[in-house]
Amino acid sequence: MLIVVMIVAFLAGFIQSVTGFGGAMILMMALPYFVSLKTSTALAGCICIPMCIAVAVRYRDGIRLKLIIVPTIIYLIGSAVFIKLAASIDLEQLKAAFGLMLIGLAVYFNFFAGKFQLKPNFRNALLCAGFSGLTGGLFGVGGPLLVLYFLAVTDNKKAYLGTINLVFAITESYSAVMRFFNGILTTDLLPIILCGFITVVFGSFLGGKVVDKLDGDKIRKLIYLLLAVSGLTIFVKAI
């Protein structure tokens, strides 16, 4: 189990540094094959925290603090509600829905991402952050719609990467505390989380060093393919 987490965490850190997103998705593509969906969400969220902090620090000069207040508050409220719900239900019953969500993400990013842009208004912040709180609270993957929103409200790559990773660092830290107090994140997971911390940061560091030398588009397409295959496999096993 430790070896699996370390390898997947390294890939998550590396890929997020190269493509700008996807760390939690990479973790959640693999972890449900080895542990329960509930445990997977707790592990994925915690392991992503140092990676998000590292990227936010790297692009700290581009962070737009005023832009994060509303969506962050909305996300925190939504995730708190659904983390509490996740603690009281058997998430294994929702595995088919999780598989479909992964397939939907693969289809969206492959065919529709970049085709349209949201307007940076309160309604869109509410919709994107609220839905992200739902999926983040239940399944540990709350990034895709936040990515869409922050691409719309920031004016350059540095601002986008710094701002959204600061949001992720705040929301994932808060979610980890909520999962701990709701009994989802337990102390016996600490050795696994610490091993994930080490390799996700190393992966993020290495990805940052080679980001300009790799074809980000090809890597993204590979991620989308793996996302679809993983979602389909989880869905078939769940039904």
Side-chain angles (χ1 to χ4, degrees):
M1 177 63 189
L2 283 176
I3 299 299
V4 172
V5 171
M6 292 175 74
I7 292 172
V8 177
F10 172 82
L11 291 174
F14 182 87
I15 288 171
Q16 179 144 334
S17 289
V18 173
T19 65
F21 77 99
M25 290 194 300
I26 297 298
L27 286 160
M28 289 302 293
M29 281 195 296
L31 292 178
Y33 291 102
F34 301 96
V35 293
S36 70
L37 191 57
K38 191 177 292 188
T39 301
S40 296
T41 62
L43 288 173
C46 278
I47 290 171
C48 283
I49 293 171
M51 171 184 64
C52 296
I53 293 173
V55 177
V57 171
R58 186 182 307 153
Y59 296 103
R60 59 190 179 277
D61 293 339
I63 292 175
R64 307 289 191 263
L65 288 175
K66 290 183 180 179
L67 297 179
I68 77 171
I69 297 173
V70 172
T72 300
I73 291 173
I74 294 170
Y75 183 100
L76 293 180
I77 294 171
S79 65
V81 171
F82 287 100
I83 287 172
K84 193 170 184 64
L85 177 63
S88 62
I89 64 174
D90 182 7
L91 281 185
E92 297 304 305
Q93 297 176 358
L94 298 178
K95 237 179 179 178
F98 176 65
L100 287 176
M101 187 184 80
L102 292 184
I103 295 171
L105 289 174
V107 171
Y108 165 74
F109 279 118
N110 199 32
F111 296 105
F112 300 106
K115 296 288 194 301
F116 63 93
Q117 193 175 47
L118 290 177
K119 293 181 179 179
N121 54 40
F122 179 80
R123 183 192 66 180
N124 287 332
L126 178 63
L127 290 174
C128 292
F131 186 76
S132 293
L134 184 157
T135 57
L138 288 179
F139 302 127
V141 181
L145 283 185
L146 284 179
V147 166
L148 190 62
Y149 178 76
F150 280 101
L151 280 172
V153 300
T154 53
D155 54 5
N156 61 73
K157 182 178 180 180
K158 191 174 182 179
Y160 159 70
L161 288 172
T163 303
I164 196 168
N165 276 281
L166 177 59
V167 172
F168 287 154
I170 294 170
T171 56
E172 291 298 352
S173 298
Y174 174 81
S175 295
V177 173
M178 289 294 298
R179 288 190 174 100
F180 177 78
F181 283 109
N182 281 279
I184 300 172
L185 184 63
T186 55
T187 54
D188 60 303
L189 296 175
L190 190 58
I192 301 174
I193 293 169
L194 291 176
C195 288
F197 277 1
I198 295 170
T199 54
V200 79
V201 171
F202 180 63
S204 177
F205 173 79
L206 186 60
K209 290 292 185 182
V210 301
V211 61
D212 294 329
K213 300 178 182 179
L214 298 177
D215 189 332
D217 288 337
K218 288 183 179 179
I219 293 176
R220 288 186 186 94
K221 288 179 181 179
L222 177 60
I223 294 171
Y224 306 150
L225 176 61
L226 293 174
L227 199 62
V229 170
S230 179
L232 182 61
T233 303
I234 290 172
F235 176 74
V236 170
K237 287 184 176 180
I239 60 176

